[in-house]
Amino acid sequence: MNQLDKIVALCKRRGFVYQSAEIYGGLNGVYDFGPLGTLLKRNIRDAWVQSIFTTQNNILFLEGALLGSHAMWEASGHTQNFSDPLVDCTNCKRRFRADEIDLEKVCTVCGKKAWTDIRQFQLMFQTQVGAATDSSSIAYLRPETAQSIFVQFKNIMSTNRVKIPFGIAQIGKAFRNEITPKQFLFRMREFEQMELEWFCKPEKVDEYFPLWVKSREQFYEHLGINKQHIKLREHDKKELAHYSARTTDIEYEFPFGWKELEGIADRGNFDLKQHSKHSGKDLSVYDDETKQSYIPHVIECSVGVDRLFLTLLCDAYTEDTIDGEKRTVLKFSSKIAPIKAAFLPLVKKLSDPIHTIYQTIAGRGYMVEFDESGSIGKRYRRQDEIGTPLCFTYDFESADDNCITVRNRDTTKQERISIEKIEEYIQASLA
Ligand code: ATP
């Protein structure tokens, strides 16, 4: 089994991620997040919010609608440009993204060379809003969160006390009818984005662009991702998206190669200009200093929650041997780990006192677990596999010396600490 298959299996086995509608055969490119996955996602979102705020504190949030009107997506350029080149094999009927395969060669599935012409495939999911079936009712599920930020830019500015430069951030679902969803959470049809649009004066772009690139790089370091697996890649001119004047990707070395984790783009004033033109509404801003109006420029930082989820799993997944026994461990940083600590009685009959300790710590807002079933070795293995950094074990001496054993996930080293010090110990591990 390759590493990605092992991660997929672990995610299912431990309740991180399930194939959506699995009992009906699944829906390709769509996933449900189980109890641990939900916690991990929440930690990812929280860390992102904290990270953008520590870079610049004048950032506002938006929760835009998932459905968007045809007019909006036409103005943004998506109805015309948001497509991928599609090619079919007429022999085995498989579908491919034309830019991902060599059309000079035979089909990798059936070994025949029988390609159709390349066609552009629209990636937005189109739907109909209301009972009318004419073109006026066409709407789309958003393929990115950014557009609602641009469309609401003027409302946000006029109803909040903000001045350029400032940011609008959004975390939410996006939908793309990817031709070939693959590599688990890497390319999905329904996914979640964390996007920041930073509005500034045109002449300030060269100052803010590197600042955001640096900040985003530091974010991944802060999450404990191995620096060796992260690199920056600047897009060359012909690769740039229709809205972008400059893009730097932050790439991660996945088990299937170096791929984009996050895109940082200088969108210029493309979006606000387009929406101004198509809606007929003035989206310019008045500059008190120059006494002139201008359309702000935008730097965008965009990363997928799910793609980062997969990155964290790939980076944390480790197989090692402890005292001759093989184990699988997710070496998540404590900040991101779904469960911060587990409370375990050495044997079941010691459950009551440690359950009380567990309840006290849980009651103080820590995401912790209590587990009394099975052998202590098995319980440690489970906690290792879900990435819990600390296990506190109550044993036969605990009642007498008021101490507990704490086991470190990565080293498996154990030390004995006073029960009073448990919270302090967890706090220190989260710092
Ligand atoms: P790619 O080249 O991988 O298709 P993209 O350049 O189209 O990505 P963007 O439009 O820049 O992606 O989207 C911003 C971020 O959203 C990406 O860096 C990625 O983290 C995430 N993302 C985009 N598409 C998907 C998807 N289909 N599944 C999961 N995450 C995605």
Side-chain angles (χ1 to χ4, degrees):
M1 229 199 249
N2 67 32
Q3 194 192 337
L4 187 63
D5 290 339
K6 287 179 184 173
I7 289 172
V8 176
L10 186 153
C11 279
K12 182 173 175 198
R13 186 165 72 241
R14 296 303 186 190
F16 281 90
V17 185
Y18 311 114
Q19 176 72 56
S20 170
E22 192 196 65
I23 58 169
Y24 296 105
L27 185 58
N28 206 359
V30 183
Y31 293 90
D32 292 331
F33 288 80
L36 289 174
T38 306
L39 292 176
L40 180 55
K41 272 186 129 180
R42 201 175 72 183
N43 294 343
I44 291 173
R45 294 188 201 105
D46 290 349
W48 184 79
V49 169
Q50 205 187 8
S51 140
I52 57 171
F53 264 112
T54 43
T55 309
Q56 294 285 324
N57 50 25
N58 43 346
I59 293 173
L60 304 168
F61 282 86
L62 177 71
E63 214 172 293
L66 306 186
L67 280 173
S69 71
H70 181 74
M72 174 166 120
W73 293 108
E74 189 154 71
S76 68
H78 282 76
T79 52
Q80 311 89 300
N81 297 318
F82 202 66
S83 55
D84 275 339
L86 171 80
V87 70
D88 290 311
C89 170
T90 55
N91 184 51
C92 70
K93 313 284 181 236
R94 292 299 178 101
R95 208 150 245 207
F96 300 89
R97 249 174 78 168
D99 55 341
E100 284 183 346
I101 55 168
D102 185 350
L103 294 172
E104 295 302 314
K105 295 197 175 140
V106 295
C107 170
T108 48
V109 177
C110 68
K112 292 262 157 46
K113 193 166 165 226
W115 302 118
T116 59
D117 288 340
I118 297 172
R119 307 186 298 290
Q120 286 303 316
F121 179 73
Q122 172 55 260
L123 295 178
M124 284 198 293
F125 285 98
Q126 185 180 317
T127 186
Q128 214 90 29
V129 171
T133 50
D134 60 18
S135 60
S136 67
S137 63
I138 292 177
Y140 300 92
L141 282 175
R142 65 182 184 187
E144 60 175 32
T145 70
Q147 290 309 318
S148 52
I149 295 180
F150 301 127
V151 170
Q152 295 297 354
F153 167 74
K154 219 40 200 284
N155 271 341
I156 291 177
M157 247 201 119
S158 60
T159 54
N160 295 273
R161 295 174 173 276
V162 277
K163 278 203 168 121
I164 301 285
F166 75 98
I168 306 178
Q170 178 161 207
I171 300 179
K173 289 271 181 159
F175 304 83
R176 296 182 187 178
N177 199 3
E178 300 279 1
I179 296 171
T180 44
K182 59 183 172 195
Q183 283 132 355
F184 193 34
L185 308 179
F186 183 81
R187 191 168 303 287
M188 302 156 81
R189 289 188 168 131
E190 174 180 335
F191 58 101
E192 192 175 332
Q193 288 184 314
M194 302 186 284
E195 297 198 297
L196 166 72
E197 307 300 327
W198 181 254
F199 297 89
C200 63
K201 289 186 179 176
E203 62 273 20
K204 291 283 186 182
V205 167
D206 287 344
E207 181 186 321
Y208 284 119
F209 193 86
L211 181 129
W212 281 110
V213 171
K214 182 102 209 109
S215 155
R216 306 307 305 135
E217 244 189 317
Q218 280 167 348
F219 172 60
Y220 297 111
E221 219 175 290
H222 172 81
L223 295 183
I225 295 175
N226 184 343
K227 264 173 115 170
Q228 243 100 63
H229 293 158
I230 293 276
K231 73 174 184 205
L232 299 179
R233 192 179 67 83
E234 182 113 13
H235 282 209
D236 58 38
K237 285 273 175 287
K238 59 178 185 328
E239 196 190 344
L240 290 172
H242 65 275
Y243 51 76
S244 175
R246 173 182 179 189
T247 295
T248 298
D249 283 347
I250 297 187
E251 293 194 338
Y252 178 76
E253 190 174 20
F254 290 95
F256 40 88
W258 286 97
K259 300 274 175 199
E260 171 180 340
L261 168 60
E262 165 156 4
I264 301 146
D266 167 6
R267 294 182 80 122
N269 59 8
F270 175 84
D271 305 274
L272 291 181
K273 227 164 66 188
Q274 284 293 105
H275 288 301
S276 230
K277 191 168 118 197
H278 284 250
S279 67
K281 302 282 179 320
D282 178 17
L283 299 180
S284 66
V285 167
Y286 184 72
D287 186 343
D288 288 331
E289 281 169 24
T290 62
K291 313 280 180 229
Q292 277 181 342
S293 292
Y294 69 100
I295 298 189
H297 278 224
V298 175
I299 296 162
E300 172 182 85
C301 307
S302 175
V303 55
V305 177
D306 319 86
R307 203 174 276 187
L308 178 51
F309 187 112
L310 178 64
T311 304
L312 289 163
L313 282 168
C314 293
D315 213 63
Y317 186 92
T318 313
E319 289 172 359
D320 59 12
T321 306
I322 302 290
D323 299 331
E325 207 191 316
K326 281 197 170 149
R327 68 165 185 163
T328 302
V329 49
L330 288 181
K331 293 190 173 177
F332 286 137
S333 90
S334 297
K335 295 182 196 82
I336 219 76
I339 305 294
K340 307 301 178 196
F343 290 83
L344 318 167
L346 185 64
V347 292
K348 216 170 181 169
K349 67 179 173 194
L350 295 170
S351 282
D352 287 350
I354 180 109
H355 191 257
T356 307
I357 298 170
Y358 152 74
Q359 279 184 314
T360 308
I361 298 290
R364 290 182 188 152
Y366 296 95
M367 198 48 75
V368 289
E369 261 191 7
F370 172 78
D371 187 5
E372 60 178 4
S373 54
S375 75
I376 188 72
K378 273 225 173 85
R379 281 178 278 154
Y380 284 151
R381 294 292 163 271
R382 174 172 185 276
Q383 295 301 334
D384 289 343
E385 265 204 5
I386 67 172
T388 307
L390 302 171
C391 286
F392 294 98
T393 306
Y394 193 96
D395 58 28
F396 292 104
E397 276 89 59
S398 296
D400 298 328
D401 64 3
N402 202 35
C403 285
I404 203 162
T405 301
V406 51
R407 172 185 178 273
N408 177 295
R409 176 197 65 201
D410 298 347
T411 61
T412 72
K413 293 260 175 338
Q414 306 199 3
E415 66 176 304
R416 214 159 165 78
I417 62 161
S418 156
I419 288 174
E420 273 76 58
K421 296 263 187 228
I422 290 176
E423 188 177 359
E424 211 175 288
Y425 204 95
I426 298 175
Q427 272 291 343
S429 86
L430 291 172

